[in-house]
Amino acid sequence: MDATWYVRVIRVRTEDNRWRHLVSSPDPQVRAARNPADLSSEPTAADTDRTQVTETSGPTDPLPGGRKLPAGAFEDADTPEPAAERAPRPVRGPVVAVTGAAGGVGALLTERLAASEEIKRVIAIDERRGECEGAEWQILDVRDPALAGKLRGVDVVVHLALDLDLESDPAARTAFNVRGTQTVLTAAPAAGIHRVVLCTSAMVYGALPDNELPLSEDAELRATAEATGVGDLLEIERLAKRAPRTHPGLNVTVVRPAVLVGGGTDTALTRYFESPRLLVVADSRPAWQFCHVEDLCAALEYAVLERVEGDLAVGCDGWLEQEQVEELSGIRRMELPSAVALGAAARLHRIGLTPSPAGDLAYTMYPWVVSGSRLHHAGWRPKWTNEEVLGELLEEVAGRHTVAGRRLGRKDATVAGAAGAAGATVALLGTAAIVRRARKARRRI
């Protein structure tokens, strides 16, 4: 046999489960021509499960897979592994548990993580089963102490089981939100988990006339408990700060979105755009920044994969002034003095005519725009602009009618239309004064 034509084809399985054919020959010139890195060394015993060796003495002898060596050439190209031998690619990412996975942001994030090649497995936790088929479901109340047992083998927990419904009983809502977070922050370290991701809101920074534009993630949390659910969110923030001291080694990341839009989100701030007129308080300085749920889920995924550390603020780039919002929405304003607007809002809420306390109004008066610098430095970018999110919000609320935070039924909406767009607002704001006069009259009797 002519040594020049005597070659050994070494078939090696690479890390991505493809075969690489390398040529070995006693002729150093052949080796140098085909393998500049000099791959003449033979496979070791440890490599036998990753290599197949074929010897050939001429250009017509078959190569692995039934192919033939062309005359005057040696095979060293990448070729896919035969389908029968192809093994599933192992996923080395984290196992992630998502609470509140059956609805809202939790459902969207569960679907996103279940479809990600960087996530090994998703454990979906809720009181009911959701629609995601790619997740492993655990049905239980997030406040159940049995949660720790359901988290065995999990690497990261994303806690999204929060009740911020305007119509919920405030005491029951707080009990669920605070107790649920306490349980998660206790169960996670008990199950050997070292990373928990919580989601609150940029509202925790507070809406104040002296706020910087934009606020950094490390800005002081100056909100008060006067707005819907903000007291619960501030308590969750306190629990997040305390947990690493109580459980050394536990990493807690808090994600704070701007005005959240999409996925059926219903808040006092989204209902603001259901009104026949946009209530503007005289001498206020509104600045509107939105956050689409898709961008929030992308930010949560960054936190899950540890691509960014620290507390995170999430929102569209920049903000919109009130005049821009009115121009884009086509909804005109109704401007009221501060004392009138705040006083009427407080009275209407106190007598049960509206679900929104007066504190919600502050978030339409003063800026609370966030920079999102940590996510930006990590490479995250929002896919949505403020203008686009506002457009989607207006589509979502089309056909709904809300006055002073109270959503009107068809009959109420018809009356509002007959009375004129601004007339309904003025009528409802005046209800508090009528009720007050009626109470005074009863006391005289």
Side-chain angles (χ1 to χ4, degrees), residues 269-319:
L269 294 168
T270 58
R271 288 191 183 188
Y272 177 81
F273 293 92
E274 298 177 14
S275 300
R277 290 286 185 269
L278 298 180
L279 177 61
V280 176
V281 176
D283 300 322
S284 64
R285 185 171 61 103
W288 290 90
Q289 181 187 36
F290 300 97
C291 177
H292 197 276
V293 290
E294 291 180 359
D295 286 335
L296 173 58
C297 287
L300 289 168
E301 185 177 10
Y302 260 63
V304 165
L305 296 174
E306 301 186 45
R307 293 176 179 169
V308 60
E309 296 291 339
D311 296 334
L312 311 174
V314 191
C316 299
D317 291 336
W319 61 90

Side-chain angles (χ1 to χ4, degrees), residues 355-394:
S356 300
D360 287 344
L361 197 56
Y363 290 89
T364 70
M365 295 171 59
Y366 303 116
W368 47 292
V369 174
V370 291
S371 68
S373 58
R374 288 198 177 111
L375 280 165
H376 279 70
H377 290 158
W380 175 92
R381 292 293 183 275
K383 291 185 178 180
W384 293 73
T385 65
N386 283 301
E387 292 84 354
E388 291 169 340
V389 180
L390 176 58
E392 175 155 319
L393 172 57
L394 293 172

Side-chain angles (χ1 to χ4, degrees), residues 179-426:
R179 182 59 181 166
T181 304
Q182 288 173 332
T183 304
V184 168
L185 292 175
T186 301
I193 298 169
H194 300 292
R195 189 172 188 84
V196 174
V197 180
L198 305 177
C199 186
T200 60
S201 168
M203 294 175 77
V204 296
Y205 290 109
L208 301 163
D210 62 343
N211 274 348
E212 294 183 357
L213 275 170
L215 293 162
S216 72
E217 284 93 344
D218 294 326
E220 182 183 355
L221 306 186
R222 298 197 291 164
T224 64
E226 296 174 355
T228 304
V230 173
D232 297 354
L233 300 180
L234 289 170
E235 181 59 27
I236 290 170
E237 293 273 354
R238 285 190 283 269
L239 292 171
K241 290 291 183 291
R242 190 184 311 146
R245 296 194 295 268
T246 307
H247 306 284
L250 180 64
N251 181 302
V252 181
T253 294
V254 181
V255 180
R256 303 166 182 148
V259 179
L260 198 58
V261 175
T265 304
D266 179 24
T267 66
L269 294 168
T270 58
R271 288 191 183 188
Y272 177 81
F273 293 92
E274 298 177 14
S275 300
R277 290 286 185 269
L278 298 180
L279 177 61
V280 176
V281 176
D283 300 322
S284 64
R285 185 171 61 103
W288 290 90
Q289 181 187 36
F290 300 97
C291 177
H292 197 276
V293 290
E294 291 180 359
D295 286 335
L296 173 58
C297 287
L300 289 168
E301 185 177 10
Y302 260 63
V304 165
L305 296 174
E306 301 186 45
R307 293 176 179 169
V308 60
E309 296 291 339
D311 296 334
L312 311 174
V314 191
C316 299
D317 291 336
W319 61 90
L320 299 175
E321 303 288 349
Q322 183 69 26
E323 292 75 16
Q324 292 175 283
V325 168
E326 293 169 17
E327 181 180 355
L328 291 168
S329 67
I331 307 174
R332 290 182 293 172
R333 70 168 63 190
M334 184 182 73
E335 189 165 318
L336 292 175
S338 175
V340 174
L342 292 171
R347 288 190 294 272
L348 289 169
H349 181 66
R350 188 167 57 249
I351 63 179
L353 285 178
T354 65
S356 300
D360 287 344
L361 197 56
Y363 290 89
T364 70
M365 295 171 59
Y366 303 116
W368 47 292
V369 174
V370 291
S371 68
S373 58
R374 288 198 177 111
L375 280 165
H376 279 70
H377 290 158
W380 175 92
R381 292 293 183 275
K383 291 185 178 180
W384 293 73
T385 65
N386 283 301
E387 292 84 354
E388 291 169 340
V389 180
L390 176 58
E392 175 155 319
L393 172 57
L394 293 172
E395 289 182 9
E396 284 189 1
V397 304
R400 299 176 189 167
H401 303 276
T402 296
V403 176
R406 174 177 173 260
R407 187 168 286 163
L408 306 179
R410 288 186 179 181
K411 184 177 180 180
D412 295 327
T414 302
V415 172
T425 302
V426 174

Side-chain angles (χ1 to χ4, degrees), residues 344 347-348 351 428-439:
R347 288 190 294 272
L348 289 169
I351 63 179
L428 189 56
L429 289 173
T431 301
I434 296 172
V435 172
R436 187 174 63 254
R437 286 197 298 270
R439 286 176 176 170

Side-chain angles (χ1 to χ4, degrees), residues 6 12 23 58 88 94 157 160 167 169 189 234 240 275 287 297 303 313 334 361 367 372 378 407:
Y6 179 80
V12 182
V23 174
V157 178
L160 298 173
E167 311 298 338
D169 174 72
L234 289 170
S275 300
C297 287
M334 184 182 73
L361 197 56
R407 187 168 286 163

